[in-house]
Amino acid sequence: MDSDLYRNVTDFAHDTPSWVQHLFELWTEVGLVLFGVLFVVGWWRARRDGSSAMALALLAPLATAAAYICAEVIKSLVDEERPCRAVKGAAAPLITCPAHGDWSFPSNHATIAGAAAVALALAWPRIWRLTVPMALLMAFSRVYVGVHYPHDVAVGLILGTAMAFLVAKAGARPVTSLVESMRTSRVGAAAWFAGPGAPLHARR
């Protein structure tokens, strides 16, 4: 439905300097690793916050995993061929076109990035200034390198965002209770993992 836009983006990609192309090729994978690092930083930061903040920090990677699973289920139902194989007259992709059977819709990378960006922002509100641009750049990079249609990444971002809110809403109460139990546990590892929480005067 948006083959012309795909061609425009991939033509633009080939017109950019080689160092820009290499940066996008790197970002399309390294960005996922950076989201993983932010999950760890968010958890560590939440160890001294309230139990609800810790719960959201723990739910962030779970929401991202749930979004990925949903994307994989949709892929198996839609069976959309990759644009690097299906769009005639398009510029060659900057990276290897995934094999036939590795379907295009929706983009796993965009779904993961959208879920991670929003889930992290729910746990750590000010981080959205970093995570949202990261997610948008991740989504664009998948079209730029030539392996997704624009609608693949747009739907991926929406799906990831929806799953982040859904998992946070559904899991906040039970995971908060779990965190409170861990923080008062006699098991040292559990108490350390959940952290001491905010001081009493900071909770008022």
Coordinates of all heavy atoms in Angstrom, one line a residue, residues 45-54 179 183 194-204:
R45 N 17.6 1.9 39.4 CA 17.1 3.2 39.9 C 15.8 3.0 40.8 O 15.7 3.7 41.8 CB 16.8 4.1 38.7 CG 16.2 5.5 39.0 CD 15.9 6.2 37.7 NE 15.3 7.5 38.0 CZ 14.0 7.7 38.2 NH1 13.2 6.7 38.2 NH2 13.5 8.9 38.4
A46 N 15.0 2.1 40.4 CA 13.7 1.9 41.1 C 13.9 1.2 42.4 O 13.0 1.1 43.2 CB 12.7 1.1 40.2
R47 N 15.1 0.6 42.7 CA 15.3 -0.1 43.9 C 15.1 0.9 45.1 O 14.8 0.4 46.2 CB 16.7 -0.7 44.0 CG 16.9 -1.9 43.0 CD 18.3 -2.4 43.0 NE 18.5 -3.2 44.3 CZ 19.3 -2.8 45.2 NH1 19.9 -1.6 45.2 NH2 19.5 -3.5 46.3
R48 N 15.4 2.1 44.9 CA 15.2 3.1 46.0 C 13.9 4.0 45.8 O 13.8 5.0 46.5 CB 16.4 4.0 46.1 CG 17.7 3.2 46.5 CD 18.8 4.2 46.9 NE 19.9 3.4 47.4 CZ 20.1 3.0 48.7 NH1 19.1 3.3 49.6 NH2 21.1 2.3 49.1
D49 N 13.0 3.5 45.0 CA 11.8 4.2 44.8 C 10.7 3.4 45.5 O 10.9 2.3 46.0 CB 11.5 4.4 43.3 CG 12.3 5.5 42.7 OD1 12.9 6.3 43.4 OD2 12.5 5.4 41.4
G50 N 9.4 3.9 45.3 CA 8.3 3.2 45.9 C 8.1 1.9 45.2 O 8.6 1.6 44.1
S51 N 7.2 1.0 45.8 CA 7.0 -0.3 45.3 C 6.3 -0.3 43.9 O 6.5 -1.1 43.1 CB 6.1 -1.1 46.3 OG 6.8 -1.3 47.5
S52 N 5.4 0.7 43.7 CA 4.7 0.8 42.4 C 5.7 1.2 41.3 O 5.6 0.7 40.2 CB 3.6 1.9 42.5 OG 4.1 3.1 42.9
A53 N 6.7 2.0 41.6 CA 7.7 2.4 40.6 C 8.6 1.2 40.3 O 8.9 0.9 39.1 CB 8.6 3.5 41.1
M54 N 8.9 0.4 41.3 CA 9.7 -0.9 41.0 C 8.8 -1.8 40.2 O 9.4 -2.5 39.3 CB 10.1 -1.5 42.3 CG 10.7 -2.9 42.2 SD 12.2 -2.9 41.0 CE 13.5 -2.4 42.2
V179 N 6.5 -7.0 44.9 CA 7.6 -6.2 45.3 C 7.6 -5.9 46.8 O 8.6 -6.0 47.5 CB 7.7 -4.9 44.5 CG1 8.7 -3.9 45.1 CG2 8.0 -5.2 43.1
R183 N 10.5 -7.0 49.5 CA 11.2 -6.1 50.3 C 11.2 -6.4 51.8 O 12.1 -5.9 52.5 CB 10.7 -4.7 50.0 CG 11.1 -4.1 48.7 CD 10.6 -2.8 48.3 NE 11.3 -2.2 47.2 CZ 11.0 -1.1 46.6 NH1 10.0 -0.3 47.0 NH2 11.7 -0.6 45.5
A194 N 14.7 -6.5 45.1 CA 13.6 -5.5 45.1 C 14.1 -4.2 45.6 O 13.4 -3.1 45.4 CB 12.5 -6.0 46.0
G195 N 15.2 -4.2 46.4 CA 15.7 -2.9 46.9 C 15.0 -2.5 48.2 O 13.9 -3.0 48.5
P196 N 15.6 -1.5 48.9 CA 15.0 -1.0 50.1 C 13.8 -0.2 50.0 O 13.0 0.0 50.9 CB 16.2 -0.2 50.8 CG 17.0 0.3 49.6 CD 16.9 -0.8 48.5
G197 N 13.6 0.4 48.8 CA 12.5 1.3 48.6 C 12.8 2.7 49.1 O 13.9 3.0 49.7
A198 N 11.8 3.6 48.9 CA 12.0 5.0 49.4 C 11.9 5.0 50.9 O 11.1 4.3 51.5 CB 10.9 5.9 48.7
P199 N 12.6 6.0 51.6 CA 12.5 6.2 53.0 C 11.1 6.6 53.3 O 10.3 7.1 52.5 CB 13.5 7.3 53.3 CG 14.4 7.3 52.1 CD 13.6 6.8 51.0
L200 N 10.6 6.3 54.6 CA 9.3 6.6 55.0 C 8.9 8.0 54.8 O 7.8 8.3 54.3 CB 9.1 6.2 56.5 CG 9.0 4.7 56.8 CD1 9.0 4.5 58.3 CD2 7.9 4.0 56.1
H201 N 9.8 9.0 55.1 CA 9.5 10.4 55.0 C 9.3 10.8 53.5 O 8.6 11.7 53.2 CB 10.6 11.3 55.6 CG 11.8 11.2 54.9 ND1 12.8 10.3 55.1 CD2 12.3 12.1 53.9 CE1 13.9 10.5 54.3 NE2 13.6 11.6 53.5
A202 N 9.9 10.0 52.6 CA 9.8 10.3 51.1 C 8.5 9.8 50.6 O 8.1 10.2 49.5 CB 11.0 9.7 50.4
R203 N 7.8 8.9 51.3 CA 6.6 8.3 50.7 C 5.4 9.1 51.1 O 4.3 8.9 50.6 CB 6.4 6.9 51.3 CG 7.6 6.0 50.9 CD 7.4 4.6 51.5 NE 8.6 3.8 51.5 CZ 8.7 2.6 52.0 NH1 7.7 2.0 52.5 NH2 9.9 1.9 51.9
R204 N 5.5 10.1 52.0 CA 4.4 10.9 52.4 C 4.1 12.1 51.5 O 5.0 12.5 50.8 CB 4.6 11.4 53.8 CG 4.7 10.2 54.8 CD 5.1 10.7 56.2 NE 5.3 9.6 57.1 CZ 5.8 9.7 58.3 NH1 6.3 10.9 58.7 NH2 5.9 8.7 59.1

